[in-house]
Amino acid sequence: MIGPEFNITHPSIYRTSTANPFILAGLVYESIPHWVRRYARLRPDYSFPSTLISDFKKISLSNAELYTVLILAAFFTIFRYYLQIRLESWTQQHNIYPRFAHKVPESFWKLTYYGTVWIFAFYFHMCVESHDIFEDPLSMWIEWESGQKPKMHWQVQIIYAVQSAFYIHSIYATLFMDLWRKDSWLMFVHHFVALGLLFLSYVDNFTLPGVLVLFLHDNSDATLEITKLSFYLKKRTNGQYYKYYFLMGNAAFILFAIIWVIFRLYWYTCKLLYATIYGAVYLGPQDAPFFPLLGAMLLIIFAMNVYWFNFIARMIWRVALTGEDPEDNREWDTTAVSGLNQQKLDELATEKCHLKPKSV
């Protein structure tokens, strides 16, 4: 491995907590061509795709690492099936509308997972004194200054094992467990990109950028599921209406949109991309074999975040104009997509499930 070109205290390094987007654009405009020229000198025989395939063949993972991830993925799938069976029965007992019978277990599972892993990631970023990569993103490269791969923190290993298992499960779940949505194929691609990002960053030991990516994403997913569950539970087939679920859902939806903009768009760009597309070029190993592929994946994830924000903005606009409840306008069985009112959708779902709403 060829060590970094500069250390973090070098006067030419732009070091800040959150990069100015306009300054960052200029820095990236210089860093990427610089990396291309340098990499061509370091690996003059590089030929795509043969060299990339050769680099893949050199990857070595222990059986313990592979089996741990696969066992966790199987556990997630089994546990989710268990939740689905129990919660679908619970929805009938508590007069939940039939069209939400499958959505409640899905949202509850995702809230449980995303909420748990984000709390753990929050603890790592805010409470582990040896790492301060959120407040000082470029510090993720300090341990590379010795010219050797740094030792991986045990908490990072836990995060990587759990998240890798989750995305393996999610590839299966998108096809066979989740409701099919307008962006399900994009979600399918997203899971492969996320899994590839985890895998390649792990073998290159670019794990601190990886845990920052996860920290910036999982909180919005958890908040979205709180929004959905609140609206699934607020009104029942027996006529009962729970206003606190309505208030909770609206608050969670507003918080979800704010978090998305701050974490997935602003901080993702000004902290994560700043630390990788710019910082890694000068402060990381110069010959990391998968750096260009990792950079491309990070940009693909950012493009997906922008694409999904389109759904959020349209939802906000519709709610503001009509005063209706926020609906996931990626789902086919919504008023926003189907054009049918909620009463008709409920009737169709009841007929499909061979269930009749209970009378008051």
Side-chain angles (χ1 to χ4, degrees), residues 69-70 73-74 76-77 80-81 109-110 114 163-180 184-199:
V69 171
L70 292 176
F76 287 156
T77 304
R80 183 172 170 187
Y81 271 121
W109 154 250
K110 290 180 178 179
Y114 287 123
Q163 293 276 17
S164 298
F166 174 75
Y167 282 110
I168 291 174
H169 155 77
S170 296
I171 290 170
Y172 169 83
T174 299
L175 294 176
F176 302 109
M177 299 183 72
D178 293 349
L179 292 169
W180 196 256
S184 287
W185 281 117
L186 182 62
M187 287 298 298
F188 193 69
V189 172
H190 169 272
H191 298 331
F192 273 104
V193 171
L195 189 60
L197 183 65
L198 287 163
F199 174 69

Side-chain angles (χ1 to χ4, degrees), residues 269-281:
T269 303
C270 300
K271 288 183 179 289
L272 189 279
L273 294 183
Y274 154 66
T276 52
I277 306 300
Y278 163 70
V281 171

Side-chain angles (χ1 to χ4, degrees), residues 123-160:
Y123 166 77
F124 174 78
H125 284 87
M126 302 301 170
C127 303
V128 176
E129 295 182 358
S130 59
H131 293 89
D132 190 27
I133 60 176
F134 181 77
E135 290 297 329
D136 185 10
L138 293 188
S139 67
M140 66 177 63
W141 305 110
I142 288 177
E143 294 180 350
W144 287 91
E145 292 178 0
S146 64
Q148 302 294 325
K149 279 189 177 182
K151 184 178 179 180
M152 197 178 303
H153 198 285
W154 68 268
Q155 290 168 320
V156 172
Q157 290 179 312
I158 291 175
I159 292 171
Y160 262 70

Side-chain angles (χ1 to χ4, degrees), residues 86-97 100-101 104-105:
R86 295 298 300 269
L87 288 174
E88 284 183 352
S89 175
W90 181 89
T91 60
Q92 295 181 36
Q93 296 171 9
H94 290 79
N95 306 300
I96 306 301
Y97 278 94
F100 299 145
V104 168

Side-chain angles (χ1 to χ4, degrees), residues 69-301:
V69 171
L70 292 176
I71 289 171
L72 279 172
F75 169 76
F76 287 156
T77 304
I78 294 169
F79 180 64
R80 183 172 170 187
Y81 271 121
Y82 170 77
L83 283 179
Q84 184 170 311
I85 293 170
R86 295 298 300 269
L87 288 174
E88 284 183 352
S89 175
W90 181 89
T91 60
Q92 295 181 36
Q93 296 171 9
H94 290 79
N95 306 300
I96 306 301
Y97 278 94
R99 66 189 177 103
F100 299 145
H102 191 80
K103 295 180 180 182
V104 168
E106 180 181 334
S107 288
F108 184 81
W109 154 250
K110 290 180 178 179
L111 173 59
T112 301
Y113 175 79
Y114 287 123
T116 302
V117 297
W118 190 79
I119 289 171
F120 188 82
F122 180 86
Y123 166 77
F124 174 78
H125 284 87
M126 302 301 170
C127 303
V128 176
E129 295 182 358
S130 59
H131 293 89
D132 190 27
I133 60 176
F134 181 77
E135 290 297 329
D136 185 10
L138 293 188
S139 67
M140 66 177 63
W141 305 110
I142 288 177
E143 294 180 350
W144 287 91
E145 292 178 0
S146 64
Q148 302 294 325
K149 279 189 177 182
K151 184 178 179 180
M152 197 178 303
H153 198 285
W154 68 268
Q155 290 168 320
V156 172
Q157 290 179 312
I158 291 175
I159 292 171
Y160 262 70
V162 170
Q163 293 276 17
S164 298
F166 174 75
Y167 282 110
I168 291 174
H169 155 77
S170 296
I171 290 170
Y172 169 83
T174 299
L175 294 176
F176 302 109
M177 299 183 72
D178 293 349
L179 292 169
W180 196 256
R181 298 177 171 91
K182 292 169 68 176
D183 65 340
S184 287
W185 281 117
L186 182 62
M187 287 298 298
F188 193 69
V189 172
H190 169 272
H191 298 331
F192 273 104
V193 171
L195 189 60
L197 183 65
L198 287 163
F199 174 69
L200 295 179
S201 62
Y202 184 82
V203 298
D204 264 356
N205 205 7
F206 287 0
T207 51
L208 292 181
V211 295
L212 183 56
V213 171
L214 299 169
F215 174 70
L216 295 175
H217 282 74
D218 288 341
N219 55 351
S220 57
D221 288 316
T223 313
L224 175 61
E225 302 310 326
I226 294 174
T227 304
K228 290 182 178 181
L229 283 170
S230 297
F231 286 107
Y232 298 158
L233 302 179
K234 71 171 184 175
K235 188 177 180 181
R236 310 298 172 87
T237 58
N238 62 359
Q240 289 184 314
Y241 183 84
Y242 298 89
K243 188 175 181 180
Y244 56 84
Y245 280 127
F246 170 77
L247 297 174
M248 183 189 304
N250 278 286
F253 175 62
I254 294 170
L255 183 60
F256 162 70
I258 293 171
I259 287 175
W260 191 284
V261 172
I262 294 175
F263 280 75
R264 291 198 178 207
L265 299 182
Y266 179 63
W267 279 343
Y268 186 92
T269 303
C270 300
K271 288 183 179 289
L272 189 279
L273 294 183
Y274 154 66
T276 52
I277 306 300
Y278 163 70
V281 171
Y282 302 105
L283 304 175
Q286 299 182 46
D287 56 345
F290 301 116
F291 176 77
L293 196 53
L294 287 168
M297 288 179 174
L298 291 176
L299 293 175
I300 289 172
I301 289 175

Side-chain angles (χ1 to χ4, degrees), residues 1-5 38-39 41-43 144 146-148 283-288:
M1 188 199 80
I2 301 176
E5 188 172 359
R38 188 183 66 193
Y39 204 72
R41 295 194 303 270
L42 295 174
R43 302 189 71 179
W144 287 91
S146 64
Q148 302 294 325
L283 304 175
Q286 299 182 46
D287 56 345

